[in-house]
Amino acid sequence: MRRVVITGLGALTPCGNDTQQTWASVCAGKSGLGPLTRFDASALPSRIAGEVKGFDPTRWVEKKRVKEGHAFIHYAVAAARMAVEASGYAPAGDEARERTGVYMGVGVGPLHFIEEASRTLNEKGPQRVSPYVIPSLLLNLAAGHVSMALGFRGPAMATASACASGAHAIGEAFRLIKFGLADACVAGGAEAALSPLAVAAFAQMRALSTRNDDPERASRPFDKGRDGFVIAEGAAAVMLEEREAALARGAEIYAEVAGYGATADAHHISHPPDDGAGAQRAMRAALAEAKLAPAEVRYVNAHSTSTGLGDKSEIAAIRRVFGEHATGGLLVSAPKSMTGHLLGAAGALETVLTALAVKHGVVPPTINLDDPIDEAAGMCLVPHEARRVEVPAALNNSFGFGGANAALVLRRA
């Protein structure tokens, strides 16, 4: 089996319009969350979000192509281009391009665009519906536009597993290279689901924070005062390459992708089991593929979204997988406390942050953690401030509605 490494990173988030800005903000414990400005949210119970600010799609997408896709596609192209450019990867010739793939995860998709198109149909008639509606709605067009922009001709496809979509995209791309079906892939996730319908629907599920007067403190993973997640948007991507080829061309390596686990809870459409059984199996599968004992992992980038049931379930799963190590040196943190929840892009962004933690020996903090839940007693959740510590190996968790679970193990190259 071939080994797979990360040679480039891309991130477009509420914390910054590139990887460096995002990483610096997260390490500083600075929140990217604020009032929701994309539309009039005054009638909604949750009026806060993590918005991408000052994004110019023409920097990353040909001007004539901007109208062909929704914002989630523009975000995907931006993050993928960042990752590829950072890696220096440039396939030479048709054969190399045909051995380079694109995997992009999208969870919710362009609900705002659907709302606008429906309004146009109802108010102005079918002749006024844009011919770009369908190309803007298809989730796989994130990968499609990336492949066209970069000229990558290998597999180009979407993973759609709710909030695990981005992590699944990276895991599936990793396997593609590991088993020799491709030599390189750009993989990640994108989401631009800030719309009245999305916010209203999540609010009706009682999934969103309503701490509207204090948005920077609204996302509170593992804290007793949490009252739901803060919806966010953005994209992130990693450039994956077969290790020997990357070394041969002198590429900088951020981390090696060593293991991947994917499972289903088979339990409930939105609630995980109390013991996190599916999450446990995903983590154990990833560790087994990486040939690592739990005690060899220094850091877990938690999926923790700041919801009542989800946080407790994940803590239970981590305790069962890591045993005594969970309270004996393992660091666990939740970057969503700063970035908000990027839904289908969350797992990709957190893989980028985990790779940087491994590379630079800095574990991002969990901000707003003033009163940790009892279930986490004795665990180090890296409250308030980043921790500088060697990270030989780390695990990134991503879970989604429908009981989708993904875990990725990264280790120092």
Side-chain angles (χ1 to χ4, degrees):
M1 300 297 177
R2 306 192 307 172
R3 294 168 68 180
V4 182
V5 294
I6 297 172
T7 58
L9 305 171
L12 173 68
T13 77
C15 290
N17 278 13
D18 61 34
T19 313
Q20 292 72 27
Q21 290 176 9
T22 297
W23 177 240
S25 181
V26 166
C27 287
K30 184 178 178 182
S31 173
L33 309 181
L36 184 50
T37 66
R38 290 294 163 80
F39 54 87
D40 180 5
S42 59
L44 295 168
S46 181
R47 300 184 292 278
I48 53 180
E51 298 179 335
V52 170
K53 307 167 189 73
F55 175 71
D56 178 6
T58 61
R59 181 182 174 191
W60 305 101
V61 181
E62 285 185 81
K63 191 172 183 179
K64 66 180 181 181
R65 288 194 178 274
V66 170
K67 65 182 179 182
E68 296 178 358
H70 182 266
F72 82 95
I73 293 173
H74 305 155
Y75 292 173
V77 173
R81 280 191 177 277
M82 287 181 210
V84 174
E85 290 174 9
S87 74
Y89 177 78
D94 287 346
E95 183 177 354
R97 283 190 287 273
E98 291 164 5
R99 298 274 300 172
T100 304
V102 180
Y103 277 64
M104 296 299 299
V106 184
V108 175
L111 289 184
H112 191 64
F113 194 82
I114 295 172
E115 292 176 54
E116 291 178 348
S118 178
R119 188 158 43 253
T120 298
L121 174 64
N122 292 330
E123 295 177 0
K124 299 180 180 180
Q127 299 304 317
R128 298 296 298 275
V129 173
S130 169
Y132 295 113
V133 168
I134 296 302
S136 295
L137 302 185
L138 299 176
L139 301 188
N140 74 296
L141 262 292
H145 275 270
V146 170
S147 69
M148 289 185 283
L150 297 171
F152 295 169
R153 300 177 186 169
M157 60 186 69
T159 54
S161 47
C163 304
S165 299
H168 275 141
I170 294 169
E172 295 302 320
F174 154 68
R175 290 274 174 83
L176 199 72
I177 299 169
K178 177 177 179 176
F179 293 125
L181 302 176
D183 296 324
C185 282
V186 61
E191 200 79 87
L194 299 184
S195 77
L197 177 58
V199 176
F202 277 122
Q204 284 297 98
M205 297 180 71
R206 299 183 180 178
L208 297 182
S209 172
T210 57
R211 197 184 288 256
N212 297 310
D213 296 332
D214 196 5
E216 293 186 358
R217 293 178 57 79
S219 183
R220 311 180 66 82
F222 303 130
D223 189 81
K224 288 179 181 177
R226 69 197 185 285
D227 68 333
F229 70 82
V230 178
I231 191 170
E233 63 176 355
V238 297
M239 187 66 212
L240 301 175
E241 296 184 58
E242 189 272 324
R243 179 176 178 272
E244 297 307 314
L247 291 173
R249 70 177 186 84
E252 179 180 10
I253 295 175
Y254 290 87
E256 179 177 356
V257 183
Y260 166 51
T263 66
D265 288 341
H267 175 70
H268 189 274
I269 58 171
S270 60
H271 298 163
D274 291 343
D275 62 356
Q280 289 183 52
R281 289 186 288 108
M283 286 187 273
R284 288 193 174 104
L287 290 168
E289 184 170 26
K291 295 181 172 61
L292 288 176
E296 295 178 89
V297 173
R298 189 72 170 98
Y299 170 51
V300 172
N301 187 317
H303 177 72
S304 178
T305 62
S306 191
T307 59
L309 295 176
D311 286 12
K312 289 183 178 181
S313 174
E314 185 170 12
I315 286 293
I318 291 170
R319 282 189 177 277
R320 284 166 170 78
V321 170
F322 289 92
E324 293 182 357
H325 184 51
T327 54
L330 183 70
L331 304 180
V332 179
S333 76
K336 288 185 183 72
S337 57
M338 295 160 285
T339 67
H341 191 359
L342 274 68
L343 307 176
L349 172 58
E350 286 149 19
T351 301
V352 167
L353 297 178
T354 303
L356 288 166
V358 170
K359 175 74 170 176
H360 297 301
V362 178
V363 171
T366 306
I367 67 170
N368 304 325
L369 184 57
D370 300 325
D371 190 11
I373 58 176
D374 294 339
E375 290 81 358
M379 297 176 66
C380 181
L381 304 178
V382 197
H384 309 304
E385 295 183 357
R387 183 78 61 90
R388 185 168 291 279
V389 61
E390 291 296 308
V391 184
L395 185 146
N396 177 36
N397 279 334
S398 295
F399 313 131
F401 281 1
N405 305 299
L408 290 161
V409 171
L410 306 186
R411 66 182 171 206
R412 190 160 46 203

